[in-house]
Amino acid sequence: MKKIIITGGAGFIGSHVVRRFVTTYPGYQIVNLDKLTYAGNLENLRDIEHNSNYKFVKGDIVDAAFIDELFKNEKPDAVIHLAAESHVDRSITNPLEFVMTNVIGTVNLLNAAKKYWAGNYENTRFYHVSTDEVYGTLGETGMFTEETAYDPHSPYSASKASSDHFVRAYQDTYGLNAVISNCSNNYGSYHFPEKLIPLSIHNIKQSKPIPVYGKGENVRDWLWVEDHARAIDVIFHKAKSGTTYNIGGHNEWKNIDLIRLLCSILDKKLGRPEGESAKLITFVTDRAGHDLRYAIDATKLKEELGWTPSITFEQGLEKTVDWYLANQEWLDHVTSGQYQQYYEGQYTNR
Ligand code: NAD
Ligand code: DAU
C-alpha cells in the first residue's frame, strides 16, 4: 500500500492527476492537500470524492507546522507537488504571494519530507511539477530541452525556477529522492476561466469581447491536460532520482490563430453564422514582460520512458469545447463564486 500526498489536487491539473491515481491505482491511498484558494474547486473531483482510497485535507503549504503534522499523521511514501499560484497576470500584480506559496511552500514540503523520511529515501519520491516558463522565451526558432539554461522573466516563472532549484539542491545535498518535470501550456476540462482557452470559450458563449494581448503574435505549445497527467504517472513510476523531463505537445499556436479557431468551432456548435464570434476579438494592452514563444522538445521523455501525447490538438480542443458546453453549471458556479461554498456543504461533518 503506497500513500501519496498530492498537493494542489483541487486545481486544474491537480484534479486530473488525483483522478488518474485514485482510479488507476486502487491499492494506493491518495491524500489531496489543498488550501482551496480561488483556483481550488472540489467540484472538480465530485466523481471520485467518495472513493475509499481518496481523502481531502484542507491546508496551506506555507504553514510549516501544519505540513510537519500532516507528514506525522499521514506517513506518506511520496509527494506529488502541484500546489502553486499559477497565473502569470496575478504574479505581476502580487509577486509576494507567489514567493510565499511557490518558493516557501515548496521548501516547507522539502523540509517535512527530509525530516520524516530521515535519510531512508529508498521507497520514497518527491515529484515537483514545474513549467516550461522557467526557461524564459524563445525567438522564432529552437526548442527548450532539459539542458536549456533557466532565464525566467515573470514573477510567476521566477518563483517556479526558484522552487526547481530548491528541489535539486535537496536532492544533491541530502540525497532526497526527487524528480522534476517542466511542462508546456495545458488545456482541457476544469480549467479556470482566467486562462486563455477557457476564458475565450466562456466569452464567446456569452458574446463578450475576447481580450487578445498585444497583437496576438505570442506562441504557446498546447498539451491536453489528461496527457500531462499520464506523463506525470509515467515519470512518477519510472524516472530515476535526480532526473528532469520536459513534457510538451509539439503543438505550437499563435494566440490569435488559436482564438480564431475557437471562434470558428463555436460558430458551428452554437449555430452562428461563420465569422460571427470572431467579431468579439478585441486587442488590448500587452502583458508586461510577455514571453514571445515557448516550445518544448520532449524527446527525452519519449525515448527514455516511452511517453507521447495520446490525442491530436483537434481532438483535444473538440473534447474541451464540448465539455464547456455540457458543463454550464460548473462554469456558472465558478464565475459566480458559488463553487467556494461546496467545501462547507460536503465536508462539515468530516
Ligand atoms: P491551478 O491554479 O489551477 O491550481 C493550483 C491549486 O493549488 C489550487 O487548487 C489551489 O487551491 C492550490 N493552492 C494554491 N496555493 C496553495 C497553498 N498555499 N497551499 C495549498 N494549496 C494551494 O494550477 P494548475 O494550472 O493546475 O497548475 C498546477 C501546477 O502545474 C502548478 O505548479 C503549475 O506551476 C504547474 N504547471 C501548470 C501548467 C498549466 O498550463 N496550467 C503548465 C505547466 C506546469
Ligand atoms: O507554459 C506553461 C504555463 O502556461 C503555466 O506554467 C502557467 O501556470 C499557465 O497559466 C500558462 O501560462 P500562460 O501565461 O502561457 O497562460 P495564459 O492562459 O495566461 O496565456 C496564454 C497566452 O495568451 C499568453 O501569451 C497570454 C495570452 N492571453 C492570455 C489571457 C488570459 C491573452 O492574449 N488574453 C488573455 O485574456
Side-chain angles (χ1 to χ4, degrees):
M1 185 75 82
K2 207 184 254 299
K3 178 164 299 186
I4 308 173
I5 294 178
I6 299 182
T7 72
F12 165 47
I13 302 171
S15 62
H16 285 280
V17 174
V18 166
R19 180 176 297 98
R20 181 173 180 93
F21 275 74
V22 164
T23 57
T24 314
Y25 304 106
Y28 292 0
Q29 290 292 324
I30 303 301
V31 178
N32 172 12
L33 162 63
D34 200 294
K35 182 182 175 183
L36 299 183
T37 67
Y38 79 93
N41 182 354
L42 286 175
E43 292 189 25
N44 297 357
L45 291 165
R46 247 183 183 158
D47 53 328
I48 58 104
E49 69 188 5
H50 298 301
N51 283 41
S52 57
N53 65 336
Y54 170 75
K55 173 176 169 181
F56 174 71
V57 176
K58 188 170 191 274
D60 187 345
I61 59 170
V62 177
D63 182 346
F66 162 76
I67 294 296
D68 219 37
E69 206 48 36
L70 183 77
F71 270 69
K72 264 190 230 143
N73 293 338
E74 297 295 345
K75 307 181 176 40
D77 304 294
V79 174
I80 304 179
H81 175 37
L82 295 106
E85 287 294 335
S86 68
H87 192 36
V88 174
D89 294 329
R90 289 180 191 255
S91 81
I92 295 167
T93 319
N94 189 357
L96 194 56
E97 202 166 350
F98 284 67
V99 176
M100 295 309 292
T101 289
N102 299 0
V103 185
I104 307 293
T106 301
V107 175
N108 282 340
L109 287 166
L110 288 166
N111 279 339
K114 172 174 157 289
K115 183 171 161 192
Y116 178 70
W117 292 328
N120 302 313
Y121 296 126
E122 205 178 331
N123 293 311
T124 67
R125 171 126 290 180
F126 190 100
Y127 186 144
H128 182 53
V129 176
S130 191
T131 172
D132 60 356
E133 299 201 11
V134 298
Y135 298 124
T137 186
L138 293 163
E140 299 290 324
T141 58
M143 293 181 125
F144 298 133
T145 72
E146 288 79 0
E147 274 68 51
T148 303
Y150 276 30
D151 183 22
H153 296 138
S154 71
Y156 163 69
S157 53
S159 69
K160 292 295 291 188
S162 172
S163 60
D164 287 8
H165 289 321
F166 272 105
V167 174
R168 287 202 183 93
Y170 274 60
Q171 201 271 329
D172 287 341
T173 309
Y174 309 111
L176 196 77
N177 181 325
V179 291
I180 300 176
S181 58
N182 297 85
C183 189
S184 62
N185 286 63
N186 285 215
Y187 70 96
S189 52
Y190 303 109
H191 203 179
F192 197 83
E194 65 182 351
K195 309 278 169 63
L196 182 69
I197 290 185
L199 179 109
S200 300
I201 296 173
H202 179 59
N203 285 15
I204 294 168
K205 278 174 79 178
Q206 307 271 311
S207 293
K208 280 168 50 180
I210 311 162
V212 180
Y213 298 167
K215 294 182 181 154
E217 297 283 311
N218 304 68
V219 175
R220 296 293 182 265
D221 177 356
W222 294 94
L223 178 70
W224 188 45
V225 63
E226 294 186 37
D227 276 331
H228 186 189
R230 189 168 49 83
I232 289 173
D233 182 345
V234 170
I235 294 166
F236 176 79
H237 287 101
K238 293 190 180 171
K240 284 200 199 100
S241 177
T243 52
T244 289
Y245 287 91
N246 279 355
I247 311 172
H250 210 55
N251 176 43
E252 293 179 53
W253 283 82
K254 263 189 192 163
N255 292 340
I256 189 65
D257 296 338
L258 172 57
I259 291 166
R260 290 214 170 97
L261 177 62
L262 280 172
C263 288
S264 161
I265 294 173
L266 277 150
D267 277 345
K268 288 194 194 79
K269 294 199 184 272
L270 297 172
R272 294 180 184 165
E274 178 67 34
E276 183 74 10
S277 300
K279 290 181 194 156
L280 301 167
I281 292 173
T282 308
F283 293 95
V284 299
T285 308
D286 207 354
R287 172 184 281 173
H290 198 170
D291 287 338
L292 177 68
R293 176 173 164 258
Y294 304 143
I296 279 280
D297 179 350
T299 309
K300 181 180 175 192
L301 180 56
K302 181 181 172 189
E303 290 186 349
E304 291 186 5
L305 305 184
W307 176 93
T308 51
S310 69
I311 60 171
T312 64
F313 189 50
E314 287 66 29
Q315 291 167 328
L317 209 54
E318 176 98 14
K319 273 177 188 285
T320 304
V321 170
D322 286 346
W323 188 87
Y324 278 93
L325 291 175
N327 286 276
Q328 187 58 46
E329 194 191 20
W330 181 90
L331 208 44
D332 287 344
H333 287 183
V334 168
T335 49
S336 69
Q338 201 180 326
Y339 71 105
Q340 286 170 320
Q341 291 154 21
Y342 187 74
Y343 173 76
E344 276 89 52
Q346 287 298 311
Y347 289 93
T348 38
N349 301 327
R350 295 185 188 195

